[in-house]
Amino acid sequence: MVSLALLTQYSFLITFIGMCAATLYFILERDSLAPEFRSTASIAACYVGIAAFNYYIMQKTVGLDGQWISVMNFQTEFRYIDWLITTPLMLIKFPVLLGADKNKPLIAILVVADIIMILTGYVAETMLNRGGQPMVAWAFYFVSCLAFLGVAGVLYTVVSKAQEDSLGPISDALSKMKLFIVFGWLIYPLGFAIALLAGGDTPKVVRELVYNFADLFNKVGFGLIALFAAKQIAKDRALKDQLSDI
């Protein structure tokens, strides 16, 4: 029977392969979109490609020798490097779909709040892992959670209002993408708290296993929603052109 630690080790490789396949798919599908929506495929290919590279590095460092737990703290560094780059790119897709030229302030707000969320989360986790001051570490954790709530708040106020003027498929995609951010990203602060409060190695190993598949689901699924919406618009326009020629 495959042990939990070994299953977690293999999950790094599975996620790496999944991210590589998604990167190739987004690149190949880019030219099938209307010109104004091609950047959504480019952004998706960029952040899943970055994630694929990070998972390649991580799956090589965990090894298959049953000693994964001993290098767990090292993995934390790679996760936060990944998130610091990829999560702002994911959030940028909201203003891009809404029309980036008109929503530059929205880009700045989302990216700044996201960076604060990632950096303070990193400080909190590394302080606790290294036996730092628990009260200070948890203070950073709560700042990170507040930044996450700030991101969610902007999505459900500014973005929700702006999407009212968007095309039907784009508006539907934005609604689904907001759910990915709010509920998909909620896994990470919950995993942080549960693993550290529970203590021991097993909760941390389970957390990494869940994080791997959550990353794959969130990043790839998030990109696919925007891609399918853009493809639907291209189909609708093609159908409209055909009907106008009749």
Side-chain angles (χ1 to χ4, degrees):
M1 183 176 181
V2 178
S3 68
L4 177 62
L6 192 60
L7 178 62
T8 303
Q9 291 168 0
Y10 281 127
S11 72
F12 281 93
L13 179 60
I14 294 169
T15 306
F16 162 65
I17 294 170
M19 295 289 189
C20 287
T23 302
L24 180 61
Y25 178 75
F26 288 129
I27 291 172
L28 293 176
E29 289 293 317
R30 181 183 182 277
D31 290 338
S32 68
L33 306 179
E36 66 266 33
F37 295 119
R38 287 175 185 167
S39 59
T40 64
S42 299
I43 293 170
C46 185
Y47 68 69
V48 293
I50 293 169
F53 177 78
N54 275 283
Y55 272 94
Y56 172 75
I57 299 297
M58 287 193 285
Q59 64 88 21
K60 287 178 71 67
T61 58
V62 296
L64 296 174
D65 57 2
Q67 299 302 313
W68 179 76
I69 292 173
S70 67
V71 295
M72 186 182 303
N73 290 343
F74 184 65
Q75 295 306 315
T76 297
E77 313 295 331
F78 281 104
R79 283 216 184 274
Y80 281 93
I81 291 172
D82 181 316
W83 293 339
L84 188 61
I85 300 171
T86 59
T87 55
L89 288 172
M90 294 174 71
L91 290 173
I92 284 173
K93 294 190 74 167
F94 286 100
V96 167
L97 287 172
L98 290 169
D101 291 339
K102 299 181 295 183
N103 291 282
K104 289 182 180 179
L106 178 59
I107 294 175
I109 293 170
L110 289 173
V111 169
V112 169
D114 180 72
I115 291 174
I116 292 172
M117 177 183 71
I118 301 301
L119 291 179
T120 52
Y122 170 74
V123 172
E125 184 155 358
T126 52
M127 284 187 69
L128 290 171
N129 284 337
R130 295 169 183 171
Q133 299 179 12
M135 291 297 293
V136 177
W138 283 107
F140 274 99
Y141 169 75
F142 285 116
V143 171
S144 180
C145 290
L146 287 174
F148 170 67
L149 291 175
V151 170
V154 171
L155 294 179
Y156 277 93
T157 53
V158 179
V159 172
S160 292
K161 183 174 178 58
Q163 76 182 75
E164 294 174 358
D165 299 325
S166 301
L167 296 171
I170 294 299
S171 181
D172 291 342
L174 289 168
S175 296
K176 293 174 182 175
M177 289 163 63
K178 286 186 292 187
L179 293 175
F180 263 87
I181 298 299
V182 173
F183 293 102
W185 287 14
L186 191 60
I187 294 170
Y188 306 110
L190 288 176
F192 175 99
I194 292 171
L196 291 172
L197 289 173
D201 291 329
T202 300
K204 292 182 180 180
V205 174
V206 172
R207 181 187 71 169
E208 298 305 318
L209 177 64
V210 173
Y211 275 6
N212 288 349
F213 289 114
D215 258 5
L216 183 61
F217 176 78
N218 285 331
K219 287 185 171 66
V220 177
F222 189 83
L224 288 175
I225 288 173
L227 179 69
F228 292 155
K231 288 175 74 70
Q232 184 60 50
I233 289 175
K235 290 180 181 178
D236 291 346
R237 288 178 178 174
L239 179 59
K240 185 178 179 180
D241 291 340
Q242 290 177 358
L243 291 175
S244 64
D245 291 339
I246 296 176

